[in-house]
Amino acid sequence: MLVIEQHDDVQRLVFSSWRSRAAGYQVSTYAVRGVMIDSAFDDAGPELMAWIAANRPQGVIITHAHDDHGGNAERLAAAGVPLQMRPDTETQLRTPQRRGWHRCWTWGRMPLLQSPVIPFDADGLELIQAPGHAPDHHVVWDAERETLFAADLFLSVKVRVAHPVHREDVRQQIGTIRNILTRNPKRVFDAHRGLLQDGAVLLAAKANWIEETVGQIDRRIGDDWPDRAIVKEVFGGEPMLAYTSRGDFSHANFVASVRKTGASGGTA
Ligand SMILES: [Zn+2]
């Protein structure tokens, strides 16, 4: 299913399938400056390609290799649509990845990128490294219009779960968000929630919340608490998602990410 919203110069394409809706998810791509940002998931492919054929964008930027952002990279490349992505994203899209049960069910297949990529430059749009959510995560910045296409940088203020298969690094997210905020975005578009009201304020709140939570976890790690006790004390136990995703998204992973990266600046 495709729902299209117009926000002045930006078109938001909201894609979902019955399975993603049942799991509570949708994902957006954005059309701006004659370019599309991200490619949604495989099941959205026919609707995405119909929009591409009708609107003929200069190319598609892929922010990171997750299945709900790069799920149509192969379809686009095979159709000769130019793509812009960083080399680490392209490498991941060309390499089979372990995907959790929850992601496979929500987003469907994840076809490997096999066709050659025709690169392109998007005038007025800058692809900026924003690691943390994933090592290859990027955001797109329109400096002239002070607009941030934040991909999965925000999601929500308190994302209390982390995902080890994606090599999510919660500590790294603090510096990444603050670095992006030095650009003073006036508009922030989230890949799942659309145009955020007071996006910069929300992003700052998120960085502060992660920093405070990581600090609480660091103190308990310093006092030799086991992870399970930390999860109980800091988060009040695990959410239902930890069970439905069979542990892929859990507070334990959040704590493990904090432990792995160390209190003194990180090792990852
Ligand atoms: Zn993602």
Side-chain angles (χ1 to χ4, degrees):
M1 188 169 96
L2 171 59
V3 177
I4 298 180
E5 292 173 3
Q6 194 72 36
H7 301 274
D8 300 320
D9 56 319
V10 175
Q11 202 170 58
R12 177 189 183 205
L13 287 78
V14 188
F15 293 95
S16 63
S17 64
W18 72 265
R19 286 192 306 187
S20 76
R21 289 191 297 276
Y25 290 97
Q26 57 182 11
V27 70
S28 298
T29 70
Y30 291 98
V32 60
R33 292 188 181 269
V35 165
M36 174 156 278
I37 298 170
D38 276 329
S39 77
F41 52 98
D42 178 60
D43 286 346
E47 285 174 316
L48 178 81
M49 297 311 287
W51 189 94
I52 296 269
N55 293 275
R56 300 193 162 276
Q58 187 193 352
V60 176
I61 297 173
I62 298 192
T63 59
H64 62 301
H66 282 168
D67 32 18
D68 48 336
H69 296 258
N72 287 296
E74 170 56 22
R75 222 180 228 112
L76 291 162
V81 177
L83 298 177
Q84 186 186 140
M85 64 185 117
R86 293 296 186 218
D88 48 346
T89 299
E90 182 171 345
T91 301
Q92 272 195 64
L93 287 171
R94 292 188 184 282
T95 313
Q97 307 286 325
R98 186 176 99 65
R99 300 169 67 219
W101 168 89
H102 187 262
R103 290 199 77 91
C104 293
W105 194 87
T106 304
W107 299 122
R109 287 182 338 129
M110 178 65 192
L112 274 189
L113 177 57
Q114 291 176 311
S115 301
V117 165
I118 304 167
F120 80 104
D121 283 323
D123 275 349
L125 296 175
E126 183 187 356
L127 191 57
I128 306 173
Q129 278 196 322
H133 170 71
D136 74 319
H137 184 255
H138 291 76
V139 296
V140 178
W141 174 238
D142 184 332
E144 188 195 338
R145 296 171 186 168
E146 299 174 301
T147 299
L148 179 66
F149 298 90
D152 286 345
L153 185 68
F154 177 67
L155 301 177
S156 73
V157 171
K158 299 179 181 182
V159 177
R160 297 153 180 269
V161 293
H163 198 302
V165 177
H166 301 161
R167 291 178 290 150
E168 191 161 9
D169 182 338
V170 292
R171 194 188 303 273
Q172 194 176 33
Q173 290 177 8
I174 305 166
T176 287
I177 291 171
R178 291 187 177 150
N179 177 44
I180 301 294
L181 283 177
T182 60
R183 313 228 175 187
N184 292 319
K186 296 280 183 293
R187 288 187 302 180
V188 179
F189 289 94
D190 181 88
H192 296 275
R193 299 179 40 166
L195 177 62
L196 301 175
Q197 290 295 322
D198 297 321
V201 173
L202 287 174
L203 278 167
K206 181 185 174 88
N208 291 342
W209 179 82
I210 298 173
E211 186 171 54
E212 191 181 303
T213 306
V214 166
Q216 289 176 23
I217 294 168
D218 277 338
R219 280 194 295 282
R220 289 171 175 89
I221 289 172
D223 291 341
D224 283 332
W225 286 40
D227 284 10
R228 208 187 311 176
I230 297 174
V231 166
K232 192 147 187 262
E233 179 76 12
V234 175
F235 298 110
E238 288 288 5
M240 188 54 75
L241 182 63
Y243 302 100
T244 55
S245 71
R246 300 187 189 162
D248 276 350
F249 292 96
S250 68
H251 297 324
N253 292 333
F254 191 112
V255 173
S257 170
V258 173
R259 188 184 286 279
K260 194 174 120 201
T261 54
S264 55
T267 55

